[in-house]
Amino acid sequence: MLHELCSSLLAQHLPELSEEEIVHLLEKPKHKDHGDVSFPCFTLAKTRRTSPHAIAKELSEQLQSPYFTSIEAVGAYVNFFFNPEEVAPKIVNKILSAGSEFGSNQLGHGCRIVIDLSSPNIAKPFSMGHLRSTVIGNSLSLIGKKNGYDVVKINYVGDWGTQFGKLIVAFLKWGDLEKVKQNPIPELFQLYVKFHHEAEQNPTLDEEGRKAFQELEAGNEEYLKLWTYFREVSLEAFQKVYQLLGIDFESWKGEAAYNHKMDHTTDLLKEKDLLVESDGATIVQLEEDNLPPCLIRKRDGATLYATRDLTAAYDRYTEFKFTQAFYVVGHEQSIHFKQVFAVLKKLGAPFAENMEHIPFGLYLKDGQKMSTRKGRVILLEEVLLESIEKAKKNIEERNPSFPGLEEVAKQVGVGAILFNDLKQDRMNNIEFNMDDMLQFEGETGPYLQYTHARAQSILRKASVEDNIFTGDSHRKSWELIKKLHEFPSSVETAFTKRSPAIVAHYLLKLAKLFNQYYSQVKILEDTREKESRIALVKAVTIVLAEGLRLLGMKAPDQM
Ligand code: ARG
């Protein structure tokens, strides 16, 4: 909105550039003293064959508009200073009329993204590692929608592979169905850990596991029955976590869903003459791509992770006709995705250029990777429940008779965990630290939620609706309003950079400015500007709530 004020003014004096070209050239000055927007004159200097300094100077003398208090040339730049009296009402009133639609755009109009996220492995606990994929993926899909994309969330549950052969062997050797029924995931997980432990001493176990998986793939009924049971109890347990997080999926097609389509994939590869025998296994050579070969079938004919991903990619394309496919998966799987995408290119898949792995760093425990195999794992459900409990105590202390306690404690407790993850640059590893996660002050989710609730409480006290902003002369209000104005561009950059952290940091800055404003201004004082101040507070609640929603968080009105 503000850039357009500059570009339309500039366009009147620059016949050689379109308004759109001008908008693209505009920059945000690094230093406050250099105004709100600046226009670099280097491009013009080339076509006009004069110095950029001279052009900047000439333009600054020609340009005049009530929207600016000053337009100055500094070196090769023309710097614009907005006039708050004229511009602030435009911004605030636009937010009030747009409501939660403020910041939406149509960048992705007509495009569909399928996003592969969460995808935990059955018969194992939902780990902190899967939390990252879940919350980053969910936030990216919300941000994608806000940018006009149609988004399909797919939970590609890890429910197939050699490990289920191993689990079946372990269950038949040492399992106790009654115990498993009482406490499914931890029991199954114990069996899995025990299997690996025993296999270290007794390598024939691995062989048994492989054979059992081979038979499972071939349709062994007893094995299938066990597998189905493992799958069912696992999904029930995962649902609890998704309910806590408030996340759902459009598709639950996991790895096993592709079992009967694997031969088709192998045939496609054969047709293109891409399959090579190596040590009895079947592979696709990827030397030209500087990648290790992609394993398609093991020596015993069993399929692999990559075989299933290739098959799933085709299936998704047929089912959803996507324009882009995202895979939100830890960076330790980068090679795997490079291999899968390279094979798709060799196959000439029509969608091969539209695949994107969106990686992220690991949660570490004492600097080390948390490995499920060794049992070094932290359970997300427990972390969430602990955080909710803490939120409850926190709210009760301040407000012992708070009516919506249970619900709001859940929103705040979960919000703390989500935000702690999303505010990090996604490629960073995060050292798992319960104390950090349960922080409710400083740069945290609860701090943002609390800021929103505080603003809502002012609105309740003001009890006026449909306010219009006409002007607020406090100098803190102008900084706050300019920050509000940046929301749409932060929504757009968050998508193009695949980075929810951009929204998270934007919200922290906005909340900080609002809290400064709030501490310096008597919002409800009966003066001429009262209505405008309330309108501004309302605009802040709109943007905070919408920003939190994009992170997958709730914004309670009271807490
Ligand atoms: N289940 C896998 C894991 O936990 C993640 C699946 C990621 N998605 C995919 N299409 N490979 O490691």
Side-chain angles (χ1 to χ4, degrees), residues 1-10 23 26 36-37 67-68 80-84 86-92 94 478 481-486 488:
M1 191 183 355
L2 296 189
H3 281 135
E4 280 74 30
L5 293 177
C6 301
S7 62
S8 67
L9 181 63
L10 280 162
V23 169
L26 293 174
D36 300 306
V37 179
Y67 290 129
F68 305 98
F80 294 84
F81 294 76
F82 286 114
N83 177 0
E86 291 292 329
V87 176
K90 273 184 177 291
I91 299 172
V92 179
K94 173 155 185 196
W478 178 226
I481 292 167
K482 280 196 280 187
K483 193 45 81 185
L484 287 170
H485 173 259
E486 284 172 22

Side-chain angles (χ1 to χ4, degrees), residues 155-213:
N155 193 342
Y156 183 65
V157 183
D159 55 5
W160 207 246
T162 315
Q163 68 269 34
F164 299 105
K166 295 180 181 174
L167 183 62
I168 286 169
V169 170
F171 180 81
L172 293 174
K173 278 190 197 305
W174 312 299
D176 174 342
L177 186 60
E178 277 318 303
K179 272 196 186 162
V180 173
K181 271 190 184 149
Q182 272 160 27
N183 209 3
I185 304 257
E187 276 304 318
L188 292 174
F189 184 50
Q190 276 314 312
L191 287 171
Y192 181 77
V193 174
K194 183 172 164 98
F195 184 95
H196 281 278
H197 197 74
E198 300 277 328
E200 270 167 27
Q201 263 87 61
N202 176 9
T204 56
L205 267 181
D206 277 328
E207 197 46 49
E208 273 184 64
R210 261 195 291 279
K211 259 193 89 198
F213 177 59

Side-chain angles (χ1 to χ4, degrees), residues 115-118 131-143 151 153 247 326 328 360 422 500:
I115 178 163
D116 181 313
L117 74 160
S118 196
L131 172 72
R132 297 217 77 189
S133 169
T134 310
V135 304
I136 295 171
N138 186 51
S139 177
L140 281 179
S141 70
L142 292 164
I143 293 170
V151 183
K153 278 177 286 164
I247 291 178
F326 289 178
V328 186
F360 51 81
L422 289 172

Side-chain angles (χ1 to χ4, degrees), residues 116 119-121 130 156 158 255 305 309 327 329 333 336-337:
D116 181 313
S119 311
N121 301 320
H130 288 108
Y156 183 65
E255 295 187 39
Y305 189 42
D309 254 326
Y327 294 81
V329 186
Q333 295 194 20
H336 164 75
F337 285 106

